[in-house]
Amino acid sequence: MRILTLAAAVGMMLVSHSASADPLNLTLSGGNPGGLWSLLGVGIDRAVKADDPNSVITYQATGGGFANIGLLAAKRTDLGLVHDAEAKIGLQGGEPFRAPVENMRAIGYMYNWAPMHFFLNKEMAEKYKIDSIDDIATSGAPVRIGINRSGNITSNVALKMLEEAGVTEDVVTSNGGQFVRAGANEQADLIQDGRLDMITNGIFIKHSSFRAVDENTDVVLLGVPQEVIDATNEEFGTGTMVIPAGSYKNQKEDVSSVALGAVLVATESMSEENAYSLAKSLIKNIDEVKAVHSSMSALTPELLAKPTVIEFHPGAAKAYSEAGLLK
């Protein structure tokens, strides 16, 4: 009888464990096909499969972070990749949202190393003695400035930084320049063709688009005043990053700038078990995510657990607390 009772107890424990570790089956909304976020989707899928081959993260291509916040708000996706600056706008109900989006919960910080770059044609920089973005306002230079398209968060951040530096549209146009809306790759083509004098974007250091500009065009990386960085970070919940000297051919000194990050976000309706399982798999199998692209090599469990503008899902917080990553 004792043996049977023990066997029954073991059987119940196995059933209980199995029930608490059901495979994950979640949809992740990211960005354009073939972009970094789609690669992160692959890495996250591999991370959960490493713990349970039956788990699956299905990637869904979207228009990016703002679109993903809308999908999370409408409960039309389980997970979304969102820039920290986009998340703060969503929480506040700023454009393009009609009301605050309050159901978002963080699963983990994926990266925080996409600094804002401001490249200016070297000849113009030397002619008008422009070393920093705040020099533009008083230089009188007719600068044609590339700004990302509306709906891309780097557009919001670039305009805020320039405004804080005194570079408003009125100032630019009065000097004979203009703001030109263009995507990152288009900006690269335009400055190489001489149709732009300056380009802006929040992107990884030595990203292919900026590396091509640096190699094929004589440009300088402009400095950013600390007060501009502080005001922008206060506005968007972004961070600060140093672009090391020598990252680009004409860059002789370190340049500090605002840095964008990306967060893996769920909703408050996700079960604690699923959020816990997902975060635990990311911690344990982080190499699966790091392997998707060289730009992800700096990802650590500590970064996953870094607090963001969005509060952690209780399940994710539990996983990080158990791992000693969250106090």
Side-chain angles (χ1 to χ4, degrees), residues 141-218:
V143 190
R144 296 165 295 175
I145 304 174
I147 302 289
N148 220 317
R149 298 187 183 281
S150 297
N152 186 301
I153 189 59
T154 62
S155 168
N156 302 56
V157 176
L159 288 173
K160 171 67 176 178
M161 294 176 73
L162 291 169
E163 180 183 353
E164 288 292 332
V167 188
T168 64
E169 188 163 12
D170 287 344
V171 169
V172 171
T173 55
S174 68
N175 288 338
Q178 65 180 129
F179 285 135
V180 178
R181 294 283 186 171
N185 290 330
E186 189 180 359
Q187 285 188 43
D189 292 338
L190 291 172
I191 196 168
Q192 290 177 80
D193 291 345
R195 288 178 287 168
L196 282 179
D197 305 300
M198 177 172 159
I199 59 175
T200 68
N201 203 7
I203 207 163
F204 298 143
I205 297 171
K206 297 183 180 179
H207 183 273
S208 57
S209 62
F210 275 178
R211 193 168 63 246
V213 170
D214 189 47
E215 291 171 354
N216 300 319
T217 311
D218 214 10

Side-chain angles (χ1 to χ4, degrees), residues 23-50:
L24 292 172
N25 186 359
L26 303 171
T27 297
L28 167 61
S29 297
N32 294 327
L36 177 65
W37 283 9
S38 67
L39 296 179
L40 287 177
V42 172
I44 295 166
D45 181 58
R46 289 175 179 170
V48 300
K49 278 184 167 59

Side-chain angles (χ1 to χ4, degrees), residues 77-104:
T77 190
D78 300 308
L79 296 164
L81 286 166
V82 176
H83 286 110
D84 39 19
E86 292 163 333
K88 187 160 186 180
I89 291 171
L91 289 169
Q92 295 173 338
E95 290 290 337
F97 305 104
R98 296 181 179 179
V101 180
E102 299 177 336
N103 70 334
M104 295 184 290

Side-chain angles (χ1 to χ4, degrees), residues 130-143:
I130 301 172
D131 297 315
S132 176
I133 62 171
D134 59 332
D135 293 331
I136 297 171
T138 56
S139 69
V143 190

